[in-house]
Amino acid sequence: MSAILIAAAVLGVLGLLCGLLLTVANKVFEIPVNPQREAVRACLPGANCGGCGFAGCDALADAIVENRAPISACPVGGQAVADQIAEIMGVEDLPDQVRHVATVVCQGSNERCRNKFPYHGIQDCVAASLVNDGNRSCKYACLGLGTCVRVCQFDAIHIDPYTGIAKVDPDKCQSCGACVNACPKNVLSLQPETVPVRLLCRAAEEGYLVSDNCKIGCIGCEHCANACKFGAITMVNHLPVFDMSKCVGCMMCAEECPTGAIWGDFDNRQIAEIDRDLCIGCTICKRTCKFEAISGELKQIHEVNEACTGCGECAKKCPKKAITMHVRKHVRDANAKVGTTKNDYAVPKAE
Amino acid sequence: MSNLLLIIVGGVLVNNFVMSQFLGICPFLGVSKKIETAFGMGMAVTFVMALASLITYFVQTYLLLPLNLEYMQTIAFILVIAMLVQVVEVALKKISTSLYQALGVYLPLITTNCAVLGVALLNVREGYNLVESVVNGISGALGFTLAIVLFASIRERLAVSNLPKWMNGFPGALITAGLMSLAFQGFSGLL
């Protein structure tokens, strides 16, 4: 019994001595670290996801302190973290970052897009995509086997059981880009969170090929490019490419799209409202409007009808600042152009 | 003197830690993709082994033997070696940054490496005195360095050569290690 006690005591004392020595060594050989670096590191989320391009949060903190990375480098923390770091680093007037979220650029759900063959292999998109480009009839389609779900550290992507394709929860998405890199079909991309319109199809093929494969794919008909009165859409490889610096958010492209491949944020569509007290009847807005949505004679108060697309051009041009834009309550009626007298065309928005 | 020479030859070639005693296989396979890092690892191991031989000799002679606690060798040695390496690492960081950067990555990796513990236990088993222990530690580590640098140079060549697919990477490395071990067996007649 005493032998065990002696052994335990000796080892215990030895361990204690070692610990003590280590503590002393740490104190004696202490190297002062930059307190800024520690503070920056404390702000970073600590997910070590590598979304910033550095090897984890520690490496990013080093880089930020040494000015090798911008203070807004952390895509996960976004604006909040960038603000905190700006305070620590003494940088001010940070331009607001556009928050990006991972977006599933495919709407080829089970009922819209066929299966070429039943796939019984490894339940993983990478494996499935090696077999004849995947089992979906469209070779650009989301395979829905959840490779992105498994790489997401933030539980922000799930396979929708009804559509069978990936769905991102924009509130949980931290825009680290892990899913974008993992997707073998390049269906996911990081896009600004709030945009008026978005193309949700990648099928860069002739229209008849796409429509054979998918009911909602972009058939390259150029209706959107023709509908855009602001020159924001050009066709490249049978797909529209949006120049968001020219887009004013009229959503005419989404409205004109025959297949539904262009998604429009119709819930937040705007309508112009003319302040009757400020309007002097100069007709500038009427002449500016490209959608025949404003009526009124010279020196009379102008009216906006339900054909307004919410592009906001009139509000920019009004010399008296009499026009404000706000979210519309009714679905836009393209028939309500100037000259129609009916007043009961307004259809309430579906809930 | 001839005794020391025997220990050196034995440590480097005949009883090579990696090739004959199969100790320290983990860093041998893990850090042997480039000659440069392999050499760094070898140097770190040399440093740690010399230190470990030294300190474990004192622990064994002045602590464990008088108290009849030889059976606690393993655990006591691990404790002391790990502590020592940590202290050295902390000190190096402060005193010589360049040396720390050269060895730094590898030092914590080998604190409880079986080759380092192995050399301490072998010193006790062979009944070496202080000088012999340290020489054995250094020569054993030089043997490790020799083996890992040779292995790394072969692996560098293998990486660019046209191997069959199943030989690429680890299978090829393991077969190479086996063949090298076979070659080192040829030294067994030396002593």
Side-chain angles (χ1 to χ4, degrees), chain A:
Chain A
M1 189 62 199
S2 68
I4 293 177
L5 285 181
I6 292 173
V10 167
L11 269 189
V13 170
L14 197 65
L16 266 179
L17 277 180
C18 288
L20 210 66
L21 207 69
L22 268 182
T23 321
V24 171
N26 258 332
K27 280 271 176 271
V28 172
F29 297 110
E30 196 178 14
I31 297 170
V33 287
N34 189 345
Q36 246 183 5
R37 187 234 173 247
E38 295 301 307
V40 170
R41 174 64 188 83
C43 289
L44 294 173
N48 287 323
C49 64
C52 53
F54 290 90
C57 295
D58 283 305
L60 178 61
D62 284 335
I64 288 177
V65 172
E66 290 161 21
N67 284 327
R68 283 185 286 118
I71 53 175
S72 56
C74 178
V76 177
Q79 189 62 41
V81 165
D83 285 341
Q84 288 175 18
I85 295 175
E87 205 168 296
I88 297 166
M89 299 291 293
V91 187
E92 276 171 21
D93 285 329
L94 189 74
D96 268 17
Q97 275 179 279
V98 180
R99 188 174 120 86
H100 283 60
V101 289
T103 309
V104 181
V105 189
C106 178
Q107 303 183 96
S109 59
N110 289 331
E111 57 200 31
R112 292 164 177 160
C113 190
R114 287 174 292 112
N115 279 350
K116 273 188 291 197
F117 52 88
Y119 176 74
H120 295 297
I122 303 166
Q123 293 298 300
D124 183 88
C125 303
V126 179
S129 68
L130 294 175
V131 185
N132 198 12
D133 269 342
N135 64 333
R136 286 301 174 101
S137 51
C138 170
K139 66 179 176 186
Y140 301 93
C142 171
L143 299 175
L145 295 175
T147 299
C148 50
V149 177
R150 287 185 285 278
V151 298
C152 183
Q153 292 183 32
F154 305 100
D155 192 34
I157 300 193
H158 296 282
I159 301 298
D160 191 316
Y162 298 106
T163 62
I165 58 177
K167 191 170 184 228
V168 178
D169 181 345
D171 295 332
K172 285 185 184 168
C173 178
Q174 307 290 331
S175 58
C176 70
C179 54
V180 176
N181 295 332
C183 180
K185 287 291 182 186
N186 290 325
V187 157
L188 285 149
S189 67
L190 286 180
Q191 297 191 5
E193 187 184 17
T194 47
V195 285
V197 288
R198 196 175 267 160
L199 176 66
L200 294 181
C201 181
R202 285 190 59 257
E205 288 180 314
E206 295 276 357
Y208 67 93
L209 292 171
V210 177
S211 57
D212 268 1
N213 294 331
C214 178
K215 287 180 190 152
I216 201 166
C218 172
I219 54 174
C221 65
E222 306 192 7
H223 276 35
C224 49
N226 295 333
C228 184
K229 298 190 174 174
F230 302 92
I233 300 181
T234 45
M235 299 299 292
V236 177
N237 289 335
H238 310 289
L239 288 174
V241 173
F242 295 83
D243 179 352
M244 291 318 269
S245 63
K246 289 183 183 164
C247 176
V248 295
C250 70
M251 303 188 200
M252 285 308 289
C253 48
E255 202 173 296
E256 290 291 323
C257 180
T259 63
I262 299 181
W263 167 89
D265 189 6
F266 290 115
D267 285 344
N268 292 317
R269 204 173 196 184
Q270 308 266 305
I271 189 169
E273 188 183 7
I274 298 177
D275 189 328
R276 303 183 72 89
D277 297 333
L278 293 176
C279 179
I280 53 169
C282 67
T283 73
I284 288 179
C285 56
K286 183 183 168 187
R287 280 179 278 134
T288 305
C289 183
K290 298 185 175 179
F291 304 97
E292 298 173 54
I294 299 181
S295 55
E297 297 304 315
L298 190 65
K299 306 237 167 132
Q300 282 173 10
I301 293 168
H302 296 328
E303 298 278 353
V304 178
N305 64 41
E306 282 292 323
C308 175
T309 62
C311 69
E313 291 295 298
C314 50
K316 284 182 211 157
K317 291 275 164 63
C318 179
K320 289 288 166 190
K321 304 273 176 265
I323 302 180
T324 50
M325 306 298 299
H326 57 82
V327 176
R328 61 187 302 141
K329 296 189 181 71
H330 302 285
V331 175
R332 182 184 107 92
D333 186 351
N335 295 324
K337 286 180 180 168
V338 175
T340 52
T341 49
K342 252 189 337 183
N343 224 3
D344 53 347
Y345 42 69
V347 192
K349 256 202 295 201
E351 286 302 317

Side-chain angles (χ1 to χ4, degrees), chain A residues 10-11 15 18 21-22 30, chain B residues 67 72 75 79 83 86 94:
Chain A
V10 167
L11 269 189
C18 288
L21 207 69
L22 268 182
E30 196 178 14
Chain B
L67 292 168
M72 298 301 281
I75 196 161
L79 191 67
M83 182 275 297
Q86 286 296 312
K94 175 89 176 177

Side-chain angles (χ1 to χ4, degrees), chain B residues 2 53 93 96 131 155 170-171:
Chain B
S2 66
S53 307
K93 206 173 179 179
S96 166
V131 179
R155 276 186 86 175
F170 258 98

Side-chain angles (χ1 to χ4, degrees), chain B:
Chain B
M1 196 58 212
S2 66
N3 189 22
L4 287 184
L5 204 66
L6 272 185
I7 291 177
I8 293 173
V9 174
V12 177
L13 296 175
V14 183
N15 298 319
N16 188 293
F17 267 112
V18 180
M19 292 306 174
S20 306
Q21 312 201 37
F22 308 114
L23 294 171
I25 299 293
C26 164
F28 178 70
L29 290 173
V31 217
S32 56
K33 277 195 178 150
K34 276 189 195 160
I35 297 180
E36 204 178 309
T37 51
F39 190 72
M41 186 73 192
M43 286 300 102
V45 169
T46 312
F47 187 67
V48 172
M49 271 201 188
L51 266 181
S53 307
L54 191 75
I55 188 129
T56 50
Y57 177 81
F58 289 118
V59 171
Q60 171 74 13
T61 328
Y62 298 111
L63 188 70
L64 298 183
L65 273 183
L67 292 168
N68 289 325
L69 285 175
E70 293 96 327
Y71 57 90
M72 298 301 281
Q73 262 172 4
T74 314
I75 196 161
F77 285 2
I78 288 178
L79 191 67
V80 172
I81 294 171
M83 182 275 297
L84 189 76
V85 175
Q86 286 296 312
V87 169
V88 167
E89 195 196 348
V90 172
L92 264 188
K93 206 173 179 179
K94 175 89 176 177
I95 297 164
S96 166
T97 315
S98 54
L99 190 61
Y100 171 74
Q101 273 163 355
L103 299 181
V105 198
Y106 307 112
L107 276 179
L109 276 180
I110 46 173
T111 43
T112 49
N113 184 274
C114 58
V116 177
L117 183 65
V119 80
L121 293 176
L122 282 175
N123 285 341
V124 173
R125 200 175 71 190
E126 301 289 332
Y128 289 147
N129 64 26
L130 181 59
V131 179
E132 285 170 338
S133 292
V134 174
V135 168
N136 187 36
I138 293 175
S139 56
L142 287 179
F144 176 87
T145 311
L146 177 73
I148 196 171
V149 169
L150 284 178
F151 187 52
S153 37
I154 294 177
R155 276 186 86 175
E156 274 192 3
R157 295 242 177 151
L158 281 185
V160 293
S161 56
N162 193 11
L163 287 176
K165 238 181 181 168
W166 55 270
M167 278 273 280
N168 261 337
F170 258 98
L174 288 174
I175 289 170
T176 313
L179 290 175
M180 280 180 71
S181 170
L182 215 65
F184 265 77
Q185 299 300 323
F187 289 117
S188 60
L190 262 181
L191 288 186

